[in-house]
Amino acid sequence: MVEARDPLVEARKQLRRAIDLLGYPDYIYEVLAEPERVIQVKIPVKTSDGVKVFIGWRSQHNSALGPYKGGVRYHPNVTMNEVIALSMWMTWKNSLAGLPYGGGKGGVRVNPKMLTPRELEELSRRYFEAISDFVGVDLDIPAPDVYTDPQVMAWYFDEYSRIKRGIYPGVVTGKPPELGGLKARIVATGYGVAVAVREAARRLLGGLEGKTVAVQGFGNVGYYTAKYLAEMGAKVVAVSDSRGGIYLPEGLDPDEVLAVKRREGSVIHYPKAKKKVSPMEVLELDVDILVPAAIEGVITEENAGRIKARLIAEGANGPTTTEAERILTERGIIVLPDILVNAGGVIMSHIEWVNNRMGGWITDEEALRKLESKMSENVRYVLSYWEKKLEVDKHPVRDAAYMIAVERVVNAMKLRGWI
Ligand code: NAD
């Protein structure tokens, strides 16, 4: 029987590697391999067929750099170890992004599609009530993740404000715009990926203008990445969704493709496409830049040898396996890691949080400009660190990203006198 991969084992392996590369002693690994706190809660919900009991967690991995920050996912298979691993990744992502946040993550084991809207509201309010003493504007700030959305954040905000007898919009981000959220949140991750690709292409490919791009996945991240890359002068020649992909060598219009997908259910019905490809073939097309923006584990040792792109930007979380990355590095293909390039969402969350705390207002243009300068600066910094401190033909950019992220957290722990 094949053992399901334990994400916490993976997360600890990555931490181990960073600690070894930084030459830190073992106790640093011990300090960071466990979260500071994990809260497990029981959530009984009254439904028309009796009471259903759900289980949920909030993992607070590290708070050296600031309040814990990370989303809450509702999923029938979510486990405590998965939530802990995701909270550790949030520590690195926030640190690398240069945000004054630690890492946290929440999860409730539930299939939200089986609940009525009223039951979903009840579940959301009871979950947040159960963790309300452990979250807060300056303590832990949840946000949407898989199957949670702005409406769920609105219920969290309302429940917390009711319990704490105040109005605290800054306790969650990713809220509806009417409640202090930012409209720009929806485009943030894809826009951030596009900005990161542009910055890296300037440095590594002599510019983005006219470079060909293939994007796997045409959801929130994939569509906005394709749209902004096309606007920035790249030629998006292929996109795909779970049903298949399309290829048009002279470049396609992401907005036209989206209209077709909305109308007919998939990008494969785009009438101008010259060729149809499978969701996996899109990864192997002859392009300059590849953006996997669908699911994890799609670039493996099996297909890494056939990838033709010179630059890969991980819009999705974890699309490249460790073994595949080793092959790509040997072949001189550069992978911009997920914790660097898909941080646009959390950067926008930070802008929302600052705005809520100030009781201020900010336009979408301003918010996107801030995201753009932060992401460009981060990409430049990571690539410089990689070129200066590591042998680039042996180490992927991910090694540099993890070293920077872990080093910042360790320095903060030292300064605060924890270690
Ligand atoms: P989404 O559900 O909006 O879109 C997913 C897309 O992937 C859909 O087009 C779907 O058809 C496609 N897809 C699914 N299975 C596929 C397969 N086997 N082959 C090809 N395409 C497939 O999701 P999203 O929000 O765009 O997230 C995509 C990835 O980005 C996930 O890994 C997510 O964790 C990550 N991510 C998202 C955000 C965000 O703000 N949305 C932030 C950081 C990371």
Side-chain angles (χ1 to χ4, degrees):
M1 201 178 85
V2 181
E3 294 263 320
R5 256 182 353 139
D6 181 346
L8 188 54
V9 173
E10 293 296 312
R12 286 184 177 146
K13 263 195 222 159
Q14 288 167 339
L15 170 64
R16 178 85 259 172
R17 186 172 167 85
I19 298 275
D20 291 346
L21 284 168
L22 287 161
Y24 286 161
D26 255 9
Y27 74 87
I28 305 263
Y29 172 82
E30 301 296 327
V31 169
L32 290 168
E34 295 292 339
E36 290 172 6
R37 174 159 56 193
V38 186
I39 302 130
Q40 177 172 311
V41 296
K42 183 176 79 175
I43 316 156
V45 177
K46 275 189 209 156
T47 71
S48 47
D49 9 294
V51 174
K52 287 188 195 149
V53 180
F54 300 95
I55 186 166
W57 298 274
R58 182 74 187 167
S59 170
Q60 300 179 328
H61 175 254
N62 187 279
S63 58
L65 288 169
Y68 310 99
K69 182 95 190 83
V72 178
R73 62 175 52 176
Y74 290 175
H75 197 274
N77 302 331
V78 71
T79 64
M80 187 172 79
N81 274 9
E82 177 185 344
V83 175
I84 295 173
L86 292 165
S87 72
M88 195 190 296
W89 280 316
M90 285 311 297
T91 300
W92 314 139
K93 187 181 276 195
N94 294 337
S95 166
L96 186 67
L99 301 174
Y101 283 147
K105 199 82 180 193
V108 177
R109 192 182 293 163
V110 58
N111 181 354
K113 290 180 187 157
M114 304 296 283
L115 299 181
T116 65
R118 203 205 56 76
E119 290 163 1
L120 184 66
E121 176 175 351
E122 184 67 11
L123 172 91
S124 300
R125 288 185 182 275
R126 296 294 73 81
Y127 169 68
F128 218 66
E129 182 182 26
I131 62 168
S132 61
D133 281 340
F134 305 96
V135 295
V137 180
D138 290 310
L139 179 58
D140 184 353
I141 308 123
D145 192 66
V146 177
Y147 293 139
T148 54
D149 61 9
Q151 173 62 75
V152 172
M153 297 306 116
W155 291 325
Y156 287 172
F157 154 51
D158 186 69
E159 191 63 21
Y160 184 82
S161 298
R162 188 184 64 76
I163 295 166
K164 301 291 176 187
R165 303 182 69 81
I167 315 293
Y168 299 102
V171 71
V172 285
T173 58
K175 295 178 295 295
E178 294 85 342
L179 299 178
L182 299 179
K183 278 207 223 73
R185 174 65 185 87
I186 185 155
V187 310
T189 304
Y191 182 65
V193 175
V195 169
V197 167
R198 181 179 61 191
E199 198 57 45
R202 277 180 186 150
R203 208 174 165 117
L204 306 165
L205 306 180
L208 183 64
E209 193 62 40
K211 295 293 179 305
T212 53
V213 182
V215 181
Q216 186 196 46
F218 206 64
N220 175 269
V221 180
Y223 161 66
Y224 284 110
T225 301
K227 175 184 166 70
Y228 286 112
L229 280 175
E231 278 179 27
M232 290 172 187
K235 198 153 73 160
V236 179
V237 295
V239 297
S240 71
D241 57 30
S242 56
R243 291 175 58 191
I246 46 169
Y247 180 57
L248 180 62
E250 49 275 35
L252 46 81
D253 177 342
D255 285 325
E256 276 180 19
V257 178
L258 182 70
V260 170
K261 183 173 166 71
R262 286 210 172 123
R263 212 172 43 239
E264 302 186 43
S266 170
V267 300
I268 55 175
H269 303 294
Y270 186 56
K272 293 183 192 162
K274 285 273 156 53
K275 195 168 115 182
K276 292 202 174 139
V277 288
S278 77
M280 290 305 280
E281 277 164 357
V282 82
L283 300 170
E284 297 172 24
L285 293 170
D286 190 4
V287 290
D288 300 305
I289 299 161
L290 173 64
V291 184
I295 51 169
E296 71 286 348
V298 290
I299 303 178
T300 63
E301 62 185 305
E302 193 279 314
N303 61 4
R306 296 194 299 272
I307 284 180
K308 298 180 191 67
R310 289 184 281 164
L311 181 66
I312 300 176
E314 294 186 328
N317 285 321
T320 316
T321 66
T322 311
E323 188 50 28
E325 190 163 54
R326 196 187 54 71
I327 297 167
L328 295 170
T329 305
E330 269 172 23
R331 295 183 56 217
I333 297 171
I334 293 161
V335 182
L336 298 176
D338 46 9
I339 59 164
L340 174 64
V341 299
N342 73 25
V346 72
I347 295 173
M348 191 56 80
S349 271
H350 178 259
I351 298 169
E352 176 181 340
W353 177 74
V354 169
N355 191 45
N356 294 156
R357 294 179 49 136
M358 294 194 311
W361 54 269
I362 186 167
T363 63
D364 278 354
E365 292 71 27
E366 253 179 285
L368 288 172
R369 265 203 308 277
K370 276 169 103 81
L371 166 57
E372 181 182 10
S373 75
K374 190 89 186 126
M375 182 61 82
S376 308
E377 188 189 308
N378 291 349
V379 171
R380 281 196 297 272
Y381 185 75
V382 174
L383 291 177
S384 301
Y385 185 104
W386 174 62
E387 285 163 357
K388 271 195 220 125
K389 303 239 171 150
L390 295 168
E391 288 174 80
V392 298
D393 50 344
K394 294 204 178 69
H395 290 275
V397 179
R398 194 182 317 272
D399 282 348
Y402 269 82
M403 287 167 73
I404 295 165
V406 173
E407 195 173 25
R408 284 181 182 157
V409 171
V410 170
N411 286 345
M413 291 197 299
K414 281 187 183 149
L415 286 165
R416 291 180 64 172
W418 294 1
I419 52 172

